[in-house]
Amino acid sequence: MLSVWAQGRFRYYRIRDDDVAALIENLVDLAAKTTAAPRRAIPAEQLRQSRTCYHHLAGQLGVLLSNALIRRRLVIIDGRDGRVTEQGLAWCRAEAIDFDPARQPHLRLCNDWTERVPHLAGPFANAVLARLVEMRGVAPHRIPRALRITDRGRAFFDRLGVQVPF
C-alpha cells in the first residue's frame, strides 16, 4: 500500500498509487457514514476554493471543472471510472493538454473532502492540471497545496463556459 523512496539514511513513505488512494478515500467515506465523527475544523478558504489532490485539481475549482467536462460530454463517467470522448480528445488538442488516451482508465471519480462531491482524478485529470500549471492558469498559494486562479486560468474556464465565482 506504500512505496518507499530511500535517500541516504532517510526513508520517505507515500501512498503507492491512485488505486490505493481511492481505496483509502472510500474507507473514509464509509466510516463517515457509519459513525458519528467529531466535527472538524473548517478548512482555510483558499484550500476549499482550489488545491491539488495528489496530481489533479480539487476543491470548488476541481468540482467546477469536473461538472463542465461532464456537462459538455468531453468525458463520460461509468460507475467510478470514466473516459475521454472523441470531442474531449479534440478539446485536449485545442487546449494543448498532453494526454495519452492509451492509458486506461482515463479517469476516475475522487471524493472531494471539502465539497463532499466528486472531482476527476487519474491520467486525464493530471494532464489538465499540468497544463493549467504550465500555462500559469493556476499558481501556488502561500498555504501548501492551495492554488489561486489567474486571469489565464479564468480565460481557460470561460472557454469551458464556467464562471469562477472567486
Side-chain angles (χ1 to χ4, degrees):
M1 291 184 64
L2 296 176
S3 64
V4 180
W5 172 46
Q7 185 175 13
R9 65 181 184 186
F10 297 100
R11 302 291 179 265
Y12 298 93
Y13 296 86
R14 66 183 194 124
I15 294 173
R16 186 184 69 207
D17 57 27
D18 285 345
D19 291 335
V20 174
L23 173 65
I24 293 168
E25 289 167 356
N26 287 334
L27 289 172
V28 168
D29 285 346
L30 181 62
K33 290 177 186 175
T34 59
T35 62
R39 289 189 155 273
R40 286 198 251 170
I42 296 172
E45 188 61 25
Q46 293 83 359
L47 278 175
R48 178 169 221 169
Q49 287 177 352
S50 182
R51 68 180 177 282
T52 59
C53 178
Y54 302 99
H55 303 287
H56 56 270
L57 188 60
Q60 293 169 338
L61 196 59
V63 171
L64 286 171
L65 175 66
S66 300
N67 292 342
L69 294 171
I70 293 167
R71 185 179 60 251
R72 293 188 63 177
R73 301 197 54 80
L74 301 178
V75 301
I76 294 176
I77 304 298
D78 182 21
R80 301 278 306 163
D81 292 332
R83 66 178 176 80
V84 179
T85 64
E86 288 301 320
Q87 184 179 351
L89 292 173
W91 175 77
C92 286
R93 288 188 293 275
E95 291 291 341
I97 295 169
D98 185 18
F99 168 66
D100 178 8
R103 297 205 46 202
Q104 296 290 332
H106 294 169
L107 56 102
R108 65 177 175 80
L109 296 179
C110 180
N111 295 319
D112 196 292
W113 59 269
T114 58
E115 302 311 296
R116 299 289 187 214
V117 294
H119 58 253
L120 301 179
F124 171 71
N126 297 355
V128 173
L129 177 58
R131 178 63 182 138
L132 280 167
V133 169
E134 174 189 35
M135 67 183 273
R136 294 188 176 102
V138 294
H141 193 278
R142 61 181 168 71
I143 297 172
R145 293 185 48 210
L147 299 170
R148 61 180 176 76
I149 190 165
T150 67
D151 289 340
R152 289 179 183 178
R154 288 183 192 286
F156 176 89
F157 278 86
D158 283 345
R159 290 191 297 276
L160 274 174
V162 175
Q163 293 296 314
V164 178
F166 44 85

